[in-house]
Every structure is written in C-alpha cells, then in structure tokens.
C-alpha cells in the first residue's frame, strides 16, 4: 500500500480532547459536592490565588480524566475544557500543599462528605432501589518508595500500604481509609461501618457482608444496634469450635448452589451464642455450615477435621423464618464483586500508587480519588443499565474531541455529529435522573 502524504498544519481555533468533561461538570453540580465540602476544607493562609474548592475540583476532575499522579496536573492544565471547568486548574506543587494542609478532623469530615456524595449519586443511579447492600474489604497498595510514611510488609510479603474499602451493590464507594502496611483488615472497620450506616436512610433494607477478618463481637453488636442485617465468614479456628458445639443437632442436606468450585456441596444449620456484658442477655446468631469433599490433591494441606471435607461457616443475624439459607449464601457470594470494584479503583481511579511522602496527605488523596471514582462509576450507568468499566466511560463519554468557543459569557463545545448525539442524550438523562434527587442531611 502506498504511503499517503502527511502534512502538518496549525489552526487558530481552540480545541480540546476532553469535551466530555462537561458531563463531569453536570455530575459535580447535581451531586452537591460544593455544598457538602464548603465548610470542611482547610482555610487558606493568604487570600491570593485560587480557592480551596477549586483545588478540590481540579484534583477530582484530573483524576476522572485519567491523571494518576500530581505531576499530571501540570499537563492536563493545557486542556481548555479542563481549565474552564476546574477554574484554571492547580499546579502539582499547590496540590501537594493542599493535601498536606488537612488536619485529622478535616480528614474525617472529608470521609463523611464521601458518604454523602455516594448517597446522592446512588439515588441518581436508581432512586427506586429499596435495598442497600454494603461490602467491606481491605486491599494492599504496593509501593516502591523508600521514604514514604507507613510502608510495611503485609502477610503476603508485599511492601505496601493498606486500605479499607466499602462499596454498595452498584460499586459506589462509601468508605476509604488508607493505613500503614501490615495493618490487620479489621482495624477501623467498626468505625467505618458505623459512620456509613448512621447516614443510610432507615427506609432502606440495609445489609452488610464481609470476609472472616470482620467476624468479631464488636462488629456484630454494632450492626445489631443499628438494625443492620449482616453475613460474615467465621475464621477457621472459631468455625471448628462452632461445629463441635452444634454437632448433636447438625444435619447435612444437599446444597443446590455451587461452592468451592464444586456442585456437590452439603449444608447444615446451627446457632452461635453471642455473649454480651455481665448484665446483658446473650444474643443468638444463626450459623450456616457448608462442606464439600476434598480432592485428592487437597488432602495434605487442607486436612482440617481429618474427615475428608473442606468446611465454610457463615454467621448472620438473618432469621431462618425470614430468609432461606440458600438465599443467605447467594447474598454472601455477591461479596466477590468488590474485588472488581477495587481493581477499578486502583487502575482507572489511579489509586494503585500514592504521590506524597506523608501518610496523612496520601489519605486525603485517596478519599478525593474515590470521589472522582464515584462520579465516573455513576456515568457508567448512563452507558449500560448494569454499568461498565471506567476505561470504557473515558473512551465513550470523556475523551470526545471538540472545538471550544467562548461567547457572551458562555462556553460552547462543538462536537461532530455522532459525539453531539451522545453528549446531548447523556446530558438529558443526567438532568432527568437527578431532578428528583434531594440530599437528606443528618
């Protein structure tokens, strides 16, 4: 094939590669982030320069547009649409100073702001949803710096920081807390769950699920006190004790749902005596035992009870007369979705690595990154009903080339015909969805 001649020329017109940032502006306005965060941001040391809200918005928009480091802020400022919506943008140095200026109390308030933003965006996705299913999990963030605060070895021998994450069934994040490497997953979980469920409306059917790291008395009692249904996995040592305590009335029946990658599973039921303080009555929780025959290659290193079975034990406060055991197990299995959401957070939201030396600054950066992630996740439901990967959101809705025209105190974005149809349809859908949303402050 003959190579076509390529000629490079210039144009005096202002162009942008990220015309879809107008959708981010619409989500920003409808999610009321300005009102939520206006009183919690650190005060400026001097009146000159851009305001704190602009710095926050610049960080959120740059992350949503694909930036994964502070240095990228200096590059994305060359985009005209970004400059218009982000108040001119912020330099990498100013952004670093902004992250380091947060006190511990302001960081906690920023976490509360993340919850409020998530609740508003959730309504924009589906305001008729009656169930609120929260999944909590921890994940490592492998780092390569030698002078970063908080880096340590975890149980998987990874040199990393750790983070606690809490997402609902739509993938919207309600909690993010960055901790030192090697921190146990359960540390801080009760406080995070309490702060989230205190803000979730009582009218919703509120449920929580997590792995064995969160199966402890403190979480049980806190969730019961908030009238939240939960399902956790018992650690193996307590699972053995529970099976022995229930052995006299434990009957195994075939289990239709597959588990452990096998279909020939058996299920049994039992009770767990949750003891309170000396002057309190004990609370009875429900146990669901699952077992499957070991494969030959498993007999050596999974020899738990020397009876040829692998066991799994769920603990819940969902009563047997209200919900069948199969549905409890099916609900718990939905916990696996958070692994996909965390993968998106690390990749598309740029939280695989952190930019600052101070751990407190990286904590703030993580929460701001999750605000950007929530906005992108919300946009994904305007592409497909079940949502889609954030990479597709950027390719389909954000990275749309356009001409930028400023006239009569307005900014006009001129797209080609296919892109204009996509933008017009999405803007209309966002407006319709959020027209019924009102933030319920507590």
């Amino acid at each position: 094939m003959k190579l076509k001649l390529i000629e490079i020329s210039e144009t005096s017109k202002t162009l942008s590669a990220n015309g879809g940032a107008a959708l981010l502006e619409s989500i920003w306005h409808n999610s009321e982030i300005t009102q939520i965060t206006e009183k919690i941001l650190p005060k400026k040391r001097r009146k000159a320069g851009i305001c704190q809200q602009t710095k926050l918005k610049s960080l959120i928009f740059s992350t949503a547009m694909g930036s994964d480091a502070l240095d990228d802020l200096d590059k994305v400022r060359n985009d005209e649409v970004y400059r218009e919506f982000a108040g001119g943008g912020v330099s990498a140095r100013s952004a670093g100073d902004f992250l380091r200026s947060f006190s511990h109390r302001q960081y906690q308030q920023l976490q509360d702001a993340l919850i409020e933003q998530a609740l508003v965006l959730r309504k924009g996705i589906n305001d008729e949803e009656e169930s609120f299913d929260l999944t909590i999990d921890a994940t490592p963030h492998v780092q390569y710096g030698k002078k970063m605060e908080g880096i340590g070895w975890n149980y998987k021998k990874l040199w990393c920081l750790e983070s606690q994450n809490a997402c609902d069934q739509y993938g919207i994040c309600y909690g993010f807390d960055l901790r030192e490497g090697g921190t146990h997953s359960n540390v801080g979980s009760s406080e995070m769950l309490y702060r989230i469920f205190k803000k979730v409306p009582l009218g919703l059917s509120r449920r929580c699920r997590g792995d064995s790291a969160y199966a402890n008395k403190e979480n049980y009692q806190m969730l019961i006190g908030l009238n939240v249904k939960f399902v956790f996995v018992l650690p193996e040592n307590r699972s053995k004790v529970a099976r022995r305590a229930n052995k006299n009335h434990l009957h195994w029946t075939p289990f239709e749902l597959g588990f452990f990658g096998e279909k020939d599973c058996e299920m049994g039921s039992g009770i767990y005596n949750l003891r309170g303080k000396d002057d309190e009555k004990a609370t009875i929780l429900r146990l669901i035992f699952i077992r499957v025959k070991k494969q030959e290659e498993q007999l050596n290193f999974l020899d738990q009870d020397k009876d040829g079975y692998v066991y799994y034990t769920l603990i819940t406060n969902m009563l047997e007369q209200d919900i069948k055991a199969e549905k409890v197990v099916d609900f718990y299995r939905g916990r696996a979705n958070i692994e996909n959401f965390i993968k998106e957070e690390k990749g598309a939201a740029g939280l695989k690595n952190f930019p600052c030396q101070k751990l407190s600054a990286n904590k703030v950066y993580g929460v701001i990154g999750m605000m950007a992630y929530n906005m992108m996740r919300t946009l994904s439901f305007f592409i497909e009903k079940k949502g889609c990967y954030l990479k597709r959101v950027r390719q389909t809705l954000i990275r749309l080339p356009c001409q930028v025209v400023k006239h009569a105190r307005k900014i006009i974005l001129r797209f080609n015909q296919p892109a204009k149809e996509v933008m017009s349809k999405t803007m209309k859908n966002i407006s319709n969805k959020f027209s019924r949303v009102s933030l319920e402050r507590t």
Side-chain angles (χ1 to χ4, degrees):
M1 181 181 293
K2 185 178 180 181
L3 179 65
K4 293 184 178 181
L5 295 177
I6 300 175
E7 182 178 346
I8 306 297
S9 64
E10 63 180 28
T11 178
S12 59
K13 297 180 179 179
T14 304
L15 306 176
S16 171
N18 297 287
L23 300 175
L24 297 175
E25 176 70 12
S26 180
I27 294 289
W28 172 277
H29 174 74
N30 285 291
S31 61
E32 305 180 13
I33 301 180
T34 301
Q35 295 89 327
I36 293 171
T37 60
E38 62 182 352
K39 295 182 179 180
I40 67 174
L41 298 179
K43 292 183 178 180
K44 291 189 63 178
R45 296 181 180 178
R46 55 182 183 177
K47 295 183 179 180
I50 61 177
C51 67
Q52 302 293 68
Q53 278 283 350
T54 299
K55 294 177 183 178
L56 175 67
K57 191 175 183 180
S58 297
L59 283 167
I60 291 177
F61 273 48
S62 65
T63 300
M65 292 167 64
S67 300
D68 56 5
L70 293 185
D71 288 343
D72 292 340
L73 288 167
D74 294 328
K75 300 176 182 177
V76 75
R77 292 171 75 189
N78 295 325
D79 188 277
E80 184 66 25
V81 171
Y82 172 79
R83 285 202 304 270
E84 286 296 323
F85 292 135
V90 62
S91 67
R93 181 173 180 178
S94 295
D97 293 338
F98 174 69
L99 296 175
R100 289 185 288 270
S101 65
F102 277 77
S103 66
H104 179 67
R105 175 57 182 158
Q106 289 167 333
Y107 169 67
Q108 291 179 325
Q109 291 175 324
L110 190 65
Q111 288 180 311
D112 290 337
L114 175 64
I115 300 172
E116 294 185 20
Q117 180 219 29
L119 288 172
V120 176
L121 294 177
R122 173 190 168 87
K123 289 183 180 179
I125 295 172
N126 186 358
D127 59 349
E128 297 180 354
E129 178 64 67
E130 296 181 354
S131 64
F132 180 87
D133 300 337
L134 190 77
T135 308
I136 186 169
D137 200 8
T139 185
H141 299 259
V142 177
Q143 307 294 309
Y144 301 97
K146 296 182 178 180
K147 296 183 178 180
M148 292 179 67
E149 290 182 359
I151 300 183
W153 297 102
N154 71 351
Y155 72 100
K156 292 182 178 179
K157 306 298 182 183
L158 298 176
W159 183 246
C160 63
L161 297 171
E162 301 273 353
S163 71
Q164 190 89 267
N165 302 265
C167 299
D168 68 6
Q169 65 266 43
Y170 295 107
I172 299 297
C173 180
Y174 294 77
F176 181 90
D177 186 28
L178 192 68
R179 298 94 58 83
E180 295 181 357
T183 302
H184 190 274
S185 299
N186 180 57
V187 175
S189 62
S190 294
E191 179 183 358
M192 177 178 287
L193 291 174
Y194 180 81
R195 295 164 79 104
I196 294 172
F197 282 109
K198 282 291 286 185
K199 290 182 177 293
V200 176
L202 294 175
L204 297 176
S205 174
R206 305 183 301 172
R207 301 187 295 183
C208 180
R209 55 195 171 192
D211 60 24
S212 59
Y214 307 99
N216 58 72
K217 181 179 177 181
E218 185 180 4
N219 284 340
Y220 302 156
Q221 292 178 332
M222 183 270 296
L223 291 172
I224 291 172
L226 293 176
N227 196 26
V228 176
K229 303 299 182 183
F230 63 81
V231 181
F232 297 118
V233 178
L234 279 184
E236 181 52 34
N237 57 341
R238 277 183 276 162
S239 178
K240 285 184 178 180
V241 174
R243 289 198 301 274
R244 292 167 187 166
N246 289 272
K247 65 180 181 180
N248 293 331
H249 58 271
L250 184 57
H251 302 286
W252 298 99
T253 58
F255 180 38
E256 294 181 359
L257 296 175
F259 223 78
F260 299 108
E262 299 290 337
K263 293 184 178 180
D264 299 329
C265 299
E266 294 179 321
M267 176 186 294
S269 297
I271 60 173
Y272 184 90
N273 192 353
L274 177 62
R275 298 185 181 276
K277 297 180 180 178
D278 296 336
D279 57 343
E280 294 180 354
K281 294 182 179 180
T283 302
I284 303 301
L285 298 179
R286 179 184 179 188
L287 294 176
I288 299 174
F289 301 102
I290 304 170
R291 71 178 186 180
V292 63
K293 289 185 178 180
K294 299 176 184 176
Q295 302 295 331
E296 292 184 2
E297 61 270 19
Q298 295 177 309
L299 292 177
N300 291 329
F301 65 93
L302 284 178
D303 195 7
Q304 297 179 1
D305 285 355
K306 299 181 180 180
D307 60 357
Y309 286 95
V310 178
Y311 290 91
Y312 212 66
T313 306
L314 302 180
I315 183 169
T316 179
N317 61 343
M318 299 180 187
L319 301 179
E320 191 169 359
Q321 58 266 33
D322 296 333
I323 183 171
K324 294 182 179 180
E326 289 82 358
K327 291 187 177 181
V328 175
V329 175
D330 192 45
F331 167 70
Y332 176 76
R333 285 169 47 158
R335 188 194 72 84
N337 278 336
I338 197 172
E339 302 292 344
N340 296 324
F341 301 148
I342 289 175
K343 182 179 178 181
E344 287 278 87
E345 294 169 7
K346 290 182 177 180
L351 296 182
K352 186 175 182 180
N353 303 109
F354 289 86
C356 301
Q357 181 176 343
K358 291 181 67 65
L359 179 60
S360 59
N362 286 329
K363 284 174 172 281
V364 177
Y365 180 83
V367 176
I368 293 175
M370 294 315 300
M371 287 184 170
Y373 163 83
N374 282 346
M375 293 171 64
M376 296 286 286
R377 184 66 187 166
T378 302
L379 281 177
S380 72
F381 288 90
F382 292 97
I383 299 177
E384 291 187 4
K385 290 184 178 181
K386 294 184 178 180
C388 62
Y389 289 117
L390 301 195
K391 180 179 179 180
R392 183 179 171 189
V393 175
R394 284 203 182 100
Q395 293 175 341
T396 306
L397 296 181
I398 304 299
R399 291 174 179 164
L400 299 177
C402 67
Q403 179 187 349
V404 183
V405 179
K406 301 177 188 177
H407 177 70
R409 296 184 180 181
K410 293 194 302 183
I411 176 172
I412 302 171
L413 305 181
R414 292 179 176 170
F415 299 90
N416 61 19
Q417 184 62 29
K420 179 183 178 297
E421 292 178 0
V422 170
M423 286 291 295
S424 299
K425 180 181 178 180
T426 308
M427 289 286 280
K428 182 179 180 180
N429 289 339
I430 291 174
S431 178
N432 292 338
K433 281 283 189 179
F434 282 94
S435 61
R436 299 185 298 271
V437 173
S438 60
L439 179 63
E440 298 178 4
R441 297 185 180 276
T442 58

